[in-house]
Amino acid sequence: MREDFKNIALFKNEDKKRFEIEVDGSIAFVTYKEVGNQIALLHTEVAPALSGRGIAGALVEKTLQYIEDHNKKVAPYCPYVFAFIQKHPECKPLVDASFKEDKKR
């Protein structure tokens, strides 16, 4: 993760069912559904004004760290999250064993 994103706090907005970070007054988020020990990540969204700066990657990395820190497993239904995990094999142990690649969409 880039140094300038390390101090940005991740917020779990339980009312809106999304993990959020705020950058330059805009909110980037990943929507989720939590059932038992699994957190399904459904959709990643970054404001157009923030695109191209690595914010989505930082958001997903922070979200996966939250999942690991809370001893949960992830179901990466969001194509961006799925691709992120594919590019970062160290994250693969977080994927719930019941998640199948063909169910990603």
Side-chain angles (χ1 to χ4, degrees):
M1 179 181 314
R2 286 186 6 205
E3 215 38 60
D4 51 338
F5 295 136
K6 286 189 177 183
N7 292 326
I8 296 175
L10 179 74
F11 176 66
K12 185 181 181 191
N13 186 331
E14 294 186 19
D15 292 334
K16 293 185 177 183
K17 301 292 184 208
R18 63 191 200 179
F19 291 95
E20 303 172 342
I21 61 173
E22 183 177 347
V23 179
D24 297 338
S26 294
I27 301 293
F29 62 87
V30 177
T31 57
Y32 73 88
K33 180 178 180 183
E34 189 168 3
V35 179
N37 195 43
Q38 184 189 82
I39 298 178
L41 299 179
L42 308 172
H43 174 73
T44 302
E45 192 166 319
V46 176
L50 301 177
S51 67
R53 294 174 47 191
I55 292 167
L59 169 62
V60 169
E61 188 174 347
K62 287 175 177 287
T63 300
L64 292 173
Q65 187 63 56
Y66 174 94
I67 290 168
E68 182 177 21
D69 291 348
H70 289 82
N71 298 312
K72 303 279 185 177
K73 290 292 184 177
V74 65
Y77 289 98
C78 169
Y80 185 88
V81 174
F82 185 85
F84 183 93
I85 291 171
Q86 292 298 319
K87 291 178 184 174
H88 298 89
E90 68 276 11
C91 297
K92 288 184 180 182
L94 293 174
V95 177
D96 192 289
S98 68
F99 180 80
K100 304 285 188 247
E101 283 190 37
D102 59 336
K103 292 169 43 174
K104 70 180 177 182
R105 297 223 17 115

